[in-house]
Amino acid sequence: MNTQSPPSAAGIAGASLPFRLWTPEERQASLATALQHWQAGEDVWVYGYGSLVWRPDFDFEERRLATLHGHHRALCLWSRVNRGTPECPGLVFGLDRGGSCRGVVYRLAGGRVPTYFPALWDREMSTGAYLPRWLNCTTEAGTVKALVFVMNRANPAYIRALPEPELLAIVRRAAGRYGPCTEYVVQTAQALRAAGIHDARLDAIARRLEQDGRPLPEGA
């Protein structure tokens, strides 16, 4: 089934925006700022709302469902490397202002922070599109302060909410070094469902993509 969509107006505009990767020095400076009040050996919590739900890439001591207030999950970030290219950008999730977001928090052993956090910064802060913040997350076992990557609205890669047909057209066309944008969106939706997290808007988008007849991630 051929579901290739023509470039959308937003997709064309996204491809024309300035783009550059952060240098290792910029990432290191950002990491140092985020950890400036961390006490060596102290366990830390990390909040996941997108791919960190199904691919955390670090060992953890504990995992809990958690709610973050003040931000919501949205496909609001242009991806020109992981799930798109500079010429044909895709969309990935960010935490935009307003509402709340159901996700997960991971507790990392303090002794492993110096090992895991540089890799986490390489993954999440490659373009400086997020703002690392320590925010309260509500869990059934109590509130924890976790590292949260929220959307930097001042970054050129930020895009406000798009009409669903335009959003779908962008996602269907894009692919990057980690694979098709479609797989990323569908796999995130599936991981949230498996965790018992209900996101009605994402579910609707993912089901439209699943109906396209494209190959889905293994286990879908």
Side-chain angles (χ1 to χ4, degrees), residues 95-121:
L95 285 171
D96 208 354
R97 292 181 195 160
S100 63
C101 181
R102 190 77 165 151
V104 299
V105 285
Y106 301 97
R107 181 168 62 86
L108 277 63
R112 296 186 174 184
V113 169
T115 299
Y116 291 150
F117 266 46
L120 181 63
W121 245 251

mmCIF file of all heavy atoms in Angstrom, residues 95-121:
data_model
loop_
_atom_site.group_PDB
_atom_site.id
_atom_site.type_symbol
_atom_site.label_atom_id
_atom_site.label_comp_id
_atom_site.label_asym_id
_atom_site.label_seq_id
_atom_site.Cartn_x
_atom_site.Cartn_y
_atom_site.Cartn_z
ATOM 1 N N LEU A 95 8.293 17.979 25.709
ATOM 2 C CA LEU A 95 7.340 18.354 26.749
ATOM 3 C C LEU A 95 7.045 19.834 26.592
ATOM 4 O O LEU A 95 7.865 20.685 26.930
ATOM 5 C CB LEU A 95 7.920 18.061 28.132
ATOM 6 C CG LEU A 95 7.958 16.591 28.543
ATOM 7 C CD1 LEU A 95 8.753 16.421 29.833
ATOM 8 C CD2 LEU A 95 6.542 16.039 28.725
ATOM 9 N N ASP A 96 5.865 20.136 26.061
ATOM 10 C CA ASP A 96 5.472 21.514 25.837
ATOM 11 C C ASP A 96 4.703 22.028 27.053
ATOM 12 O O ASP A 96 4.229 21.252 27.894
ATOM 13 C CB ASP A 96 4.624 21.625 24.572
ATOM 14 C CG ASP A 96 4.732 22.986 23.912
ATOM 15 O OD1 ASP A 96 5.387 23.881 24.497
ATOM 16 O OD2 ASP A 96 4.169 23.173 22.824
ATOM 17 N N ARG A 97 4.556 23.327 27.124
ATOM 18 C CA ARG A 97 3.921 23.943 28.284
ATOM 19 C C ARG A 97 2.445 23.585 28.385
ATOM 20 O O ARG A 97 1.741 23.459 27.389
ATOM 21 C CB ARG A 97 4.019 25.464 28.187
ATOM 22 C CG ARG A 97 5.404 26.031 28.316
ATOM 23 C CD ARG A 97 5.315 27.550 28.210
ATOM 24 N NE ARG A 97 6.616 28.152 27.984
ATOM 25 C CZ ARG A 97 6.785 29.355 27.480
ATOM 26 N NH1 ARG A 97 5.727 30.087 27.150
ATOM 27 N NH2 ARG A 97 7.998 29.844 27.311
ATOM 28 N N GLY A 98 1.980 23.484 29.632
ATOM 29 C CA GLY A 98 0.558 23.327 29.892
ATOM 30 C C GLY A 98 0.136 21.886 30.103
ATOM 31 O O GLY A 98 0.737 20.956 29.559
ATOM 32 N N GLY A 99 -0.896 21.695 30.915
ATOM 33 C CA GLY A 99 -1.457 20.376 31.121
ATOM 34 C C GLY A 99 -0.595 19.504 32.016
ATOM 35 O O GLY A 99 0.114 19.982 32.906
ATOM 36 N N SER A 100 -0.635 18.206 31.762
ATOM 37 C CA SER A 100 0.159 17.255 32.527
ATOM 38 C C SER A 100 0.549 16.099 31.623
ATOM 39 O O SER A 100 0.008 15.934 30.537
ATOM 40 C CB SER A 100 -0.625 16.748 33.743
ATOM 41 O OG SER A 100 -1.777 16.038 33.331
ATOM 42 N N CYS A 101 1.505 15.312 32.091
ATOM 43 C CA CYS A 101 2.007 14.203 31.281
ATOM 44 C C CYS A 101 2.232 12.994 32.171
ATOM 45 O O CYS A 101 2.883 13.094 33.223
ATOM 46 C CB CYS A 101 3.309 14.599 30.591
ATOM 47 S SG CYS A 101 4.002 13.308 29.528
ATOM 48 N N ARG A 102 1.712 11.871 31.741
ATOM 49 C CA ARG A 102 1.927 10.603 32.439
ATOM 50 C C ARG A 102 3.110 9.898 31.782
ATOM 51 O O ARG A 102 3.149 9.711 30.555
ATOM 52 C CB ARG A 102 0.677 9.748 32.324
ATOM 53 C CG ARG A 102 0.669 8.500 33.188
ATOM 54 C CD ARG A 102 0.385 8.818 34.611
ATOM 55 N NE ARG A 102 0.038 7.604 35.375
ATOM 56 C CZ ARG A 102 0.267 7.467 36.660
ATOM 57 N NH1 ARG A 102 0.819 8.450 37.345
ATOM 58 N NH2 ARG A 102 -0.082 6.360 37.285
ATOM 59 N N GLY A 103 4.097 9.536 32.584
ATOM 60 C CA GLY A 103 5.268 8.850 32.062
ATOM 61 C C GLY A 103 5.856 7.939 33.117
ATOM 62 O O GLY A 103 5.119 7.373 33.941
ATOM 63 N N VAL A 104 7.172 7.775 33.113
ATOM 64 C CA VAL A 104 7.837 6.922 34.095
ATOM 65 C C VAL A 104 9.047 7.658 34.658
ATOM 66 O O VAL A 104 9.624 8.527 34.004
ATOM 67 C CB VAL A 104 8.289 5.580 33.482
ATOM 68 C CG1 VAL A 104 7.104 4.781 32.961
ATOM 69 C CG2 VAL A 104 9.299 5.789 32.362
ATOM 70 N N VAL A 105 9.417 7.305 35.877
ATOM 71 C CA VAL A 105 10.666 7.802 36.454
ATOM 72 C C VAL A 105 11.551 6.602 36.786
ATOM 73 O O VAL A 105 11.063 5.547 37.202
ATOM 74 C CB VAL A 105 10.446 8.660 37.726
ATOM 75 C CG1 VAL A 105 9.918 10.028 37.364
ATOM 76 C CG2 VAL A 105 9.535 7.970 38.730
ATOM 77 N N TYR A 106 12.840 6.788 36.542
ATOM 78 C CA TYR A 106 13.834 5.762 36.839
ATOM 79 C C TYR A 106 14.763 6.276 37.936
ATOM 80 O O TYR A 106 15.230 7.416 37.871
ATOM 81 C CB TYR A 106 14.679 5.474 35.597
ATOM 82 C CG TYR A 106 13.925 4.996 34.385
ATOM 83 C CD1 TYR A 106 13.557 5.895 33.384
ATOM 84 C CD2 TYR A 106 13.598 3.654 34.226
ATOM 85 C CE1 TYR A 106 12.889 5.468 32.250
ATOM 86 C CE2 TYR A 106 12.917 3.212 33.093
ATOM 87 C CZ TYR A 106 12.567 4.122 32.111
ATOM 88 O OH TYR A 106 11.896 3.686 30.986
ATOM 89 N N ARG A 107 15.064 5.409 38.888
ATOM 90 C CA ARG A 107 16.051 5.759 39.906
ATOM 91 C C ARG A 107 17.386 5.132 39.529
ATOM 92 O O ARG A 107 17.494 3.910 39.401
ATOM 93 C CB ARG A 107 15.610 5.294 41.292
ATOM 94 C CG ARG A 107 16.617 5.654 42.397
ATOM 95 C CD ARG A 107 16.025 5.435 43.789
ATOM 96 N NE ARG A 107 15.670 4.045 44.032
ATOM 97 C CZ ARG A 107 16.512 3.107 44.492
ATOM 98 N NH1 ARG A 107 17.789 3.408 44.726
ATOM 99 N NH2 ARG A 107 16.078 1.874 44.706
ATOM 100 N N LEU A 108 18.384 5.982 39.339
ATOM 101 C CA LEU A 108 19.719 5.529 38.978
ATOM 102 C C LEU A 108 20.622 5.574 40.201
ATOM 103 O O LEU A 108 20.587 6.544 40.973
ATOM 104 C CB LEU A 108 20.327 6.421 37.886
ATOM 105 C CG LEU A 108 19.945 6.136 36.429
ATOM 106 C CD1 LEU A 108 18.454 6.344 36.208
ATOM 107 C CD2 LEU A 108 20.749 7.039 35.501
ATOM 108 N N ALA A 109 21.406 4.534 40.365
ATOM 109 C CA ALA A 109 22.355 4.497 41.475
ATOM 110 C C ALA A 109 23.350 5.641 41.328
ATOM 111 O O ALA A 109 23.870 5.902 40.240
ATOM 112 C CB ALA A 109 23.082 3.160 41.498
ATOM 113 N N GLY A 110 23.620 6.326 42.428
ATOM 114 C CA GLY A 110 24.500 7.487 42.378
ATOM 115 C C GLY A 110 25.872 7.181 41.821
ATOM 116 O O GLY A 110 26.467 8.013 41.116
ATOM 117 N N GLY A 111 26.390 5.992 42.099
ATOM 118 C CA GLY A 111 27.713 5.641 41.611
ATOM 119 C C GLY A 111 27.797 5.504 40.110
ATOM 120 O O GLY A 111 28.902 5.542 39.547
ATOM 121 N N ARG A 112 26.642 5.373 39.450
ATOM 122 C CA ARG A 112 26.632 5.203 37.998
ATOM 123 C C ARG A 112 26.327 6.488 37.240
ATOM 124 O O ARG A 112 26.372 6.509 36.009
ATOM 125 C CB ARG A 112 25.620 4.125 37.613
ATOM 126 C CG ARG A 112 25.985 2.745 38.150
ATOM 127 C CD ARG A 112 25.052 1.677 37.647
ATOM 128 N NE ARG A 112 25.501 0.350 38.055
ATOM 129 C CZ ARG A 112 24.903 -0.784 37.689
ATOM 130 N NH1 ARG A 112 23.822 -0.744 36.919
ATOM 131 N NH2 ARG A 112 25.369 -1.952 38.088
ATOM 132 N N VAL A 113 25.987 7.541 37.963
ATOM 133 C CA VAL A 113 25.664 8.812 37.315
ATOM 134 C C VAL A 113 26.804 9.307 36.424
ATOM 135 O O VAL A 113 26.571 9.708 35.270
ATOM 136 C CB VAL A 113 25.265 9.870 38.355
ATOM 137 C CG1 VAL A 113 25.190 11.263 37.734
ATOM 138 C CG2 VAL A 113 23.919 9.507 38.990
ATOM 139 N N PRO A 114 28.066 9.326 36.881
ATOM 140 C CA PRO A 114 29.150 9.814 36.022
ATOM 141 C C PRO A 114 29.325 8.992 34.745
ATOM 142 O O PRO A 114 29.842 9.504 33.747
ATOM 143 C CB PRO A 114 30.399 9.698 36.917
ATOM 144 C CG PRO A 114 29.873 9.752 38.313
ATOM 145 C CD PRO A 114 28.564 9.016 38.251
ATOM 146 N N THR A 115 28.888 7.733 34.773
ATOM 147 C CA THR A 115 28.986 6.876 33.586
ATOM 148 C C THR A 115 27.813 7.082 32.651
ATOM 149 O O THR A 115 27.983 7.201 31.432
ATOM 150 C CB THR A 115 29.059 5.394 33.998
ATOM 151 O OG1 THR A 115 30.217 5.185 34.804
ATOM 152 C CG2 THR A 115 29.121 4.492 32.769
ATOM 153 N N TYR A 116 26.607 7.139 33.207
ATOM 154 C CA TYR A 116 25.394 7.173 32.386
ATOM 155 C C TYR A 116 25.037 8.559 31.863
ATOM 156 O O TYR A 116 24.505 8.695 30.758
ATOM 157 C CB TYR A 116 24.202 6.625 33.172
ATOM 158 C CG TYR A 116 24.252 5.145 33.452
ATOM 159 C CD1 TYR A 116 23.675 4.607 34.585
ATOM 160 C CD2 TYR A 116 24.880 4.274 32.561
ATOM 161 C CE1 TYR A 116 23.719 3.244 34.843
ATOM 162 C CE2 TYR A 116 24.926 2.909 32.815
ATOM 163 C CZ TYR A 116 24.346 2.402 33.954
ATOM 164 O OH TYR A 116 24.393 1.059 34.199
ATOM 165 N N PHE A 117 25.307 9.597 32.630
ATOM 166 C CA PHE A 117 24.813 10.911 32.232
ATOM 167 C C PHE A 117 25.478 11.484 30.970
ATOM 168 O O PHE A 117 24.789 12.124 30.171
ATOM 169 C CB PHE A 117 24.901 11.893 33.399
ATOM 170 C CG PHE A 117 23.623 11.970 34.186
ATOM 171 C CD1 PHE A 117 22.955 10.816 34.568
ATOM 172 C CD2 PHE A 117 23.069 13.180 34.547
ATOM 173 C CE1 PHE A 117 21.773 10.867 35.284
ATOM 174 C CE2 PHE A 117 21.879 13.248 35.266
ATOM 175 C CZ PHE A 117 21.233 12.095 35.629
ATOM 176 N N PRO A 118 26.778 11.308 30.745
ATOM 177 C CA PRO A 118 27.330 11.796 29.474
ATOM 178 C C PRO A 118 26.648 11.175 28.256
ATOM 179 O O PRO A 118 26.365 11.878 27.273
ATOM 180 C CB PRO A 118 28.805 11.400 29.563
ATOM 181 C CG PRO A 118 29.092 11.398 31.026
ATOM 182 C CD PRO A 118 27.845 10.845 31.651
ATOM 183 N N ALA A 119 26.348 9.877 28.316
ATOM 184 C CA ALA A 119 25.651 9.227 27.207
ATOM 185 C C ALA A 119 24.218 9.743 27.083
ATOM 186 O O ALA A 119 23.691 9.916 25.977
ATOM 187 C CB ALA A 119 25.650 7.708 27.408
ATOM 188 N N LEU A 120 23.584 10.003 28.221
ATOM 189 C CA LEU A 120 22.230 10.559 28.202
ATOM 190 C C LEU A 120 22.240 11.942 27.562
ATOM 191 O O LEU A 120 21.334 12.284 26.788
ATOM 192 C CB LEU A 120 21.687 10.623 29.633
ATOM 193 C CG LEU A 120 20.267 11.153 29.815
ATOM 194 C CD1 LEU A 120 19.257 10.261 29.115
ATOM 195 C CD2 LEU A 120 19.935 11.278 31.310
ATOM 196 N N TRP A 121 23.265 12.742 27.856
ATOM 197 C CA TRP A 121 23.369 14.088 27.254
ATOM 198 C C TRP A 121 23.645 13.992 25.752
ATOM 199 O O TRP A 121 23.112 14.784 24.974
ATOM 200 C CB TRP A 121 24.454 14.896 27.960
ATOM 201 C CG TRP A 121 23.888 16.076 28.681
ATOM 202 C CD1 TRP A 121 24.026 17.394 28.335
ATOM 203 C CD2 TRP A 121 23.072 16.059 29.858
ATOM 204 N NE1 TRP A 121 23.343 18.194 29.222
ATOM 205 C CE2 TRP A 121 22.751 17.404 30.176
ATOM 206 C CE3 TRP A 121 22.579 15.032 30.677
ATOM 207 C CZ2 TRP A 121 21.960 17.743 31.260
ATOM 208 C CZ3 TRP A 121 21.799 15.369 31.765
ATOM 209 C CH2 TRP A 121 21.494 16.714 32.048
#
